[in-house]
Amino acid sequence: MIELNNITKIYNPRKNNAFEALHEVSCEIHDGELVAIIGKSGAGKSTLLHILACIDNYQSGEYKIDGIVVKNLPERKYAKIRNEKIGMVMQDFALVEDFTALENVMIPLNFLRKKDIKKKEKALQALKSVGIEELAKKNCNKISGGQKQRVAIARAIVNDPSVILADEPTGALDTKTSAEIMDLFRQLHSQGKTIIIVTHDINVAHQCERIIEISDGKIISDSLQ
């Protein structure tokens, strides 16, 4: 479960160019929900996603994931949360282009502190679960955008995280491929994953169970579909 209580994020605090990206944002996202976060460019939705992903910190308030307060932790604890509880899917895929699909999916497994002798098998299973196991040995600079996004999703789920965060996951894709990727997210949701999608595409948002709208760093609506 994700709990946000009065989260405020200020960039360049105490400087002339200080900017409040989030202002006292509060909400709860329960296990197994499929949620869209929408808003115009600059509304604060990506800032919120980065806080949820433990990529960025915040000035005040409290963020808890599965009861753990996420603030001012040692970097190793942030890394542990990121690697074990959260899977991240980026808009630009963020793949190592001259790695194979399999090598890209194995990257999170390489950061595990405990030795895992089944890394290859786990990565192959993740690729199979997104329907592209046949591309395992193909370099990512040789595959399509939709296939890259599937590799990125496989990488996000390879450690079996409870939460998947996706930043504009269909933004670089055509309509048909976008629909296929959303079908994949719904399949993962049906398996019990908590999925949070940041999107500017209202059609994508309406395929989620719940829509949270942000404007000027504040939640202005939160509704079930």
Side-chain angles (χ1 to χ4, degrees):
M1 179 173 171
I2 288 171
E3 302 170 76
L4 300 171
N5 281 304
N6 297 316
I7 296 292
T8 294
K9 170 66 181 179
I10 302 172
Y11 290 106
N12 304 314
R14 297 181 295 278
K15 294 184 179 179
N16 291 335
N17 62 341
F19 173 69
E20 188 178 59
L22 295 175
H23 179 75
E24 297 185 353
V25 168
S26 296
C27 72
E28 292 183 354
I29 297 173
H30 295 273
D31 294 344
E33 283 198 274
L34 174 56
V35 180
I37 299 176
I38 64 170
K40 295 179 180 178
S41 179
K45 57 188 187 298
S46 289
T47 297
L48 178 57
L49 193 75
H50 290 161
I51 289 171
L52 292 173
C54 301
I55 294 171
D56 205 352
N57 217 322
Y58 51 94
Q59 271 69 31
S60 62
E62 185 177 78
Y63 165 36
K64 294 168 74 174
I65 179 168
D66 295 337
I68 300 169
V69 178
V70 182
K71 189 174 186 183
N72 299 326
L73 299 175
E75 177 52 36
R76 62 182 178 79
K77 289 193 175 180
Y78 279 118
K80 181 178 175 66
I81 292 170
R82 285 194 297 262
N83 208 39
E84 295 181 5
K85 291 185 177 293
I86 296 167
M88 187 76 177
V89 181
M90 307 297 288
Q91 178 179 4
D92 61 357
F93 318 127
L95 301 175
V96 182
E97 289 286 316
D98 56 355
F99 276 23
T100 65
L102 182 64
E103 289 168 336
N104 269 282
V105 175
M106 287 175 65
I107 288 173
L109 299 171
N110 293 331
F111 287 98
L112 291 175
R113 297 188 70 181
K114 57 185 179 181
K115 189 173 181 181
D116 190 340
I117 61 173
K118 296 183 178 180
K119 289 190 292 186
K120 184 175 180 181
E121 289 88 340
K122 286 184 176 180
L124 283 169
Q125 182 56 43
L127 286 169
K128 184 177 181 179
S129 71
V130 299
I132 54 167
E133 65 271 27
E134 74 280 1
L135 298 178
K137 295 182 179 180
K138 198 158 188 176
N139 279 20
C140 286
N141 56 12
K142 303 291 186 183
I143 61 179
S144 71
Q147 291 168 335
K148 287 180 181 181
Q149 193 61 293
R150 287 176 182 266
V151 173
I153 293 170
R155 182 183 58 191
I157 66 174
V158 71
N159 276 340
D160 194 27
S162 55
V163 179
I164 298 172
L165 305 174
D167 190 2
E168 300 283 6
T170 63
L173 306 176
D174 60 49
T175 302
K176 180 178 180 294
T177 307
S178 295
E180 292 172 353
I181 294 301
M182 286 306 299
D183 283 343
L184 184 52
F185 279 123
R186 281 194 295 273
Q187 289 173 29
L188 292 169
H189 169 244
S190 72
Q191 296 167 17
K193 301 291 186 186
T194 303
I195 300 177
I196 304 170
I197 299 174
V198 161
T199 183
H200 68 277
D201 188 335
I202 196 64
N203 292 321
V204 168
H206 281 309
Q207 296 178 62
C208 299
E209 295 176 330
R210 176 180 171 193
I211 299 177
I212 297 172
E213 184 174 3
I214 295 182
S215 179
D216 296 326
K218 301 176 183 178
I219 292 178
I220 60 170
S221 69
D222 185 348
S223 59
L224 296 174
Q225 294 293 331

